[in-house]
Amino acid sequence: MRAMLYKPSTQQFAKFAAVGIISFAVDWLLLVLLVEGLRCDYLLATTVSFLASVALNYALSMRYVFDHRDDMSRKREFTIFAILSAVGLGLNDVFMFVGVTMLNIAYQAMKIIATFCVTWYNFFSRKKFLAS
C-alpha cells in the first residue's frame, strides 16, 4: 500500500537525485582538486569537473533513471543529451562567473548554488526530450 503513495515521477526524481548526488560528488571533488591541488583557474576547473560529472551522469541516468525511447537511436539520444548538457554547462559557468567574480562568493559555495539551479533544468529538459 505504501508504494502506491508515490507517483512514478516522484520515484523517478528520487533516482535522478541519487544519481545527481553521485555526479555532484565527482564534480565537487574534481573541482577542488583542480583548483586547490593543481592551481587551475576556477572557471576552467568548473568546466572540466562539470564535463566529467556529465559523462558519469549520462551513464547512470540512462541505466537507472530514464527508460530508453524505442523511437530513438542511442546515437540520437546521446546527441540530445550532449546538447542539453552543453546548455547546462553554459548555465553552470555563468552562475559560477557571476557568483565568484562579480558577487565575490567563494567558488565552493557558488558551486553548490549553481548545481542546485542547473539540476532543475537538467531534470525537466531530459525528461521532456529523452524519457519515454
Side-chain angles (χ1 to χ4, degrees):
M1 180 75 174
R2 184 175 184 167
M4 292 173 39
L5 297 175
Y6 297 105
K7 295 179 183 178
S9 60
T10 303
Q11 291 173 343
Q12 186 179 40
F13 188 80
K15 290 178 186 177
F16 181 82
V19 166
I21 290 168
I22 294 166
S23 298
F24 176 73
V26 168
D27 193 353
W28 175 270
L29 292 171
L30 188 54
L31 173 64
V32 172
L33 173 69
L34 290 171
V35 172
E36 303 295 329
L38 299 178
R39 302 289 180 211
C40 289
D41 174 74
Y42 82 91
L43 207 49
L44 173 63
T46 293
T47 301
V48 170
S49 66
F50 184 90
L51 291 173
S53 74
V54 163
L56 176 63
N57 191 287
Y58 174 76
L60 295 176
S61 289
M62 300 323 279
R63 181 173 176 104
Y64 298 109
V65 181
F66 300 112
D67 294 327
H68 174 70
R69 289 175 53 164
D70 293 333
D71 64 339
M72 186 182 301
S73 71
R74 292 286 184 183
K75 182 177 178 182
R76 183 167 183 219
E77 180 181 81
F78 181 78
T79 300
I80 291 170
F81 185 91
I83 291 167
L84 296 175
S85 295
V87 173
L89 172 61
L91 291 169
N92 184 67
D93 284 359
V94 166
F95 285 128
M96 290 297 289
F97 177 78
V98 170
V100 175
T101 302
M102 300 174 83
L103 301 176
N104 203 29
I105 298 171
Y107 79 92
Q108 302 95 329
M110 196 59 222
K111 182 60 182 175
I112 294 169
I113 295 166
T115 298
F116 177 79
C117 295
V118 174
T119 294
W120 293 103
Y121 158 78
N122 283 338
F123 178 75
F124 290 111
S125 66
R126 290 176 191 169
K127 185 164 178 64
K128 178 177 174 80
F129 293 106
L130 294 173
S132 56

